[in-house]
C-alpha cells in the first residue's frame, strides 16, 4: 500500500501526532522482537547474554511508558480522540484507562517510572540515593554479594549485570511481572488499530 505523504502525514497537529504514533508502534514492535530474539540468539558468554537481556528490558519498559503517555494525549483530548479513535479503539482504551491516566494501583504508577531511572544517569537527588541504597542492600541480602567486572588487556571492559540494581528497585529481585507483558500487548493492539484505521481512511 502506498499513500501520498501529505494525505497521510497532514501538515498540521494531526499529521505530527500520526508521525509520533507510527514511531511509537515501530519502536515497540522492534523491542518486542528483540526480547523474543534472546531465546534464539547465541552469545559469546552467559555474561554477555545477561547484559543484553537487561538492556533490552530497559528498552521494553521505556517504550511502554512513553506509549502510555502518547495514549494519554489522545485519550484525554477530544480533538485527537475524534480524529484517531473509532468506537473499537475507544473500547480498547477504556479497558486500560487506569494505566493511561496513571492512576493509583496501576502498573504504570507501580513499575514504569523505571523508564526514568533506566535512561537518566544524573541521579544525584536524595531520593535516588536512598532507593539505590535499599536496592543495593536487597541484592546483597539475596545473595548477590559480588560485583563482577570484566577486564581486557588490563583495561576495564564492563560490569556484569549492573542494571540488575535498577530492576531490583522496582521488581524486588523477582521476575518481571507477567501483567506488564500483557499490558504491552494491549498497548500495541490499540496503536495498531489506530494505524490500520488511518491507513484505510486514507
Amino acid at each position: 500500500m502506498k499513500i501520498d505523504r501529505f494525505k497521510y502525514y497532514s501538515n498540521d497537529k494531526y499529521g505530527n501526532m500520526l508521525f509520533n504514533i507510527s514511531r511509537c508502534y515501530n519502536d515497540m514492535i522492534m523491542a518486542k522482537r528483540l526480547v523474543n530474539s534472546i531465546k534464539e540468539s547465541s552469545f559469546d558468554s552467559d555474561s554477555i547474554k545477561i547484559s543484553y537481556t537487561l538492556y533490552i528490558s530497559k528498552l521494553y519498559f521505556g517504550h511502554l511508558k512513553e506509549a502510555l503517555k502518547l495514549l494519554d494525549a489522545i485519550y484525554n483530548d477530544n480533538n485527537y480522540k475524534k480524529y484517531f479513535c473509532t468506537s473499537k479503539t475507544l473500547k480498547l482504551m477504556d479497558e486500560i484507562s487506569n494505566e493511561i491516566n496513571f492512576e493509583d494501583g496501576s502498573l504504570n504508577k507501580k513499575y514504569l517510572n523505571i523508564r526514568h531511572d533506566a535512561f537518566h544517569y544524573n541521579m544525584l537527588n536524595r531520593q535516588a540515593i536512598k532507593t539505590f541504597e535499599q536496592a543495593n542492600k536487597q541484592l546483597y541480602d539475596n545473595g548477590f554479594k559480588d560485583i563482577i567486572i570484566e577486564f581486557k588487556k588490563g583495561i576495564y571492559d564492563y560490569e556484569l549485570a549492573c542494571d540488575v540494581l535498577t530492576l531490583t528497585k522496582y521488581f524486588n529481585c523477582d521476575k518481571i511481572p507477567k501483567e506488564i507483558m500483557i499490558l504491552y500487548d494491549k498497548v500495541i493492539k490499540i496503536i495498531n488499530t489506530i494505524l490500520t484505521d488511518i491507513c484505510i481512511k486514507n
Side-chain angles (χ1 to χ4, degrees):
M1 170 185 267
K2 289 185 180 178
I3 303 174
D4 180 273
R5 176 169 292 276
F6 285 105
K7 285 183 180 176
Y8 193 71
Y9 291 146
S10 55
N11 195 21
D12 55 21
K13 69 176 188 176
Y14 300 108
N16 181 65
M17 177 59 83
L18 178 57
F19 172 61
N20 290 324
I21 295 168
S22 300
R23 289 192 309 125
C24 179
Y25 181 76
N26 285 8
D27 287 347
M28 288 189 80
I29 289 295
M30 189 58 65
K32 187 169 181 176
R33 285 178 182 160
L34 288 170
V35 167
N36 293 337
S37 76
I38 294 168
K39 294 177 185 175
E40 303 160 4
S41 300
S42 59
F43 298 89
D44 291 341
S45 67
D46 286 340
S47 299
I48 296 293
K49 182 177 181 179
I50 291 167
S51 294
Y52 179 85
T53 302
L54 289 170
Y55 179 74
I56 298 306
S57 297
K58 292 199 301 180
L59 288 178
Y60 188 87
F61 300 130
H63 290 314
L64 178 56
K65 177 67 173 178
E66 293 303 307
L68 288 167
K69 287 164 65 177
L70 182 68
L71 291 183
D72 174 60
I74 296 167
Y75 190 70
N76 291 302
D77 183 293
N78 287 329
N79 292 320
Y80 284 137
K81 191 185 286 188
K82 185 176 178 183
Y83 188 89
F84 289 108
C85 298
T86 63
S87 58
K88 179 183 176 183
T89 313
L90 285 174
K91 185 178 178 185
L92 292 170
M93 292 176 88
D94 286 341
E95 290 174 9
I96 63 163
S97 61
N98 64 321
E99 303 293 347
I100 293 170
N101 291 321
F102 199 64
E103 293 175 7
D104 290 342
S106 66
L107 298 173
N108 191 354
K109 195 158 195 174
K110 186 174 182 182
Y111 297 119
L112 294 182
N113 279 340
I114 193 173
R115 183 259 176 271
H116 180 72
D117 284 357
F119 293 104
H120 292 84
Y121 306 112
N122 184 18
M123 304 289 287
L124 304 177
N125 62 64
R126 182 176 293 176
Q127 184 57 42
I129 294 170
K130 182 180 177 182
T131 54
F132 157 78
E133 290 172 349
Q134 292 168 344
N136 204 33
K137 182 180 184 308
Q138 190 169 2
L139 276 174
Y140 191 87
D141 291 345
N142 281 284
F144 294 87
K145 298 184 185 298
D146 297 319
I147 300 294
I148 300 172
I149 297 173
E150 295 288 331
F151 268 70
K152 280 188 179 176
K153 297 181 179 178
I155 298 173
Y156 181 101
D157 193 29
Y158 67 90
E159 178 188 324
L160 173 62
C162 59
D163 261 315
V164 76
L165 256 172
T166 305
L167 271 64
T168 298
K169 287 167 64 175
Y170 291 86
F171 305 122
N172 301 319
C173 299
D174 295 327
K175 290 182 179 178
I176 295 164
K178 190 173 181 180
E179 309 110 296
I180 288 184
M181 291 180 265
I182 292 169
L183 177 61
Y184 196 96
D185 289 340
K186 285 181 178 179
V187 169
I188 284 179
K189 184 175 181 180
I190 291 167
I191 298 174
N192 179 270
T193 303
I194 291 171
L195 291 170
T196 300
D197 291 340
I198 289 290
C199 285
I200 291 169
K201 190 166 78 173
N202 286 289

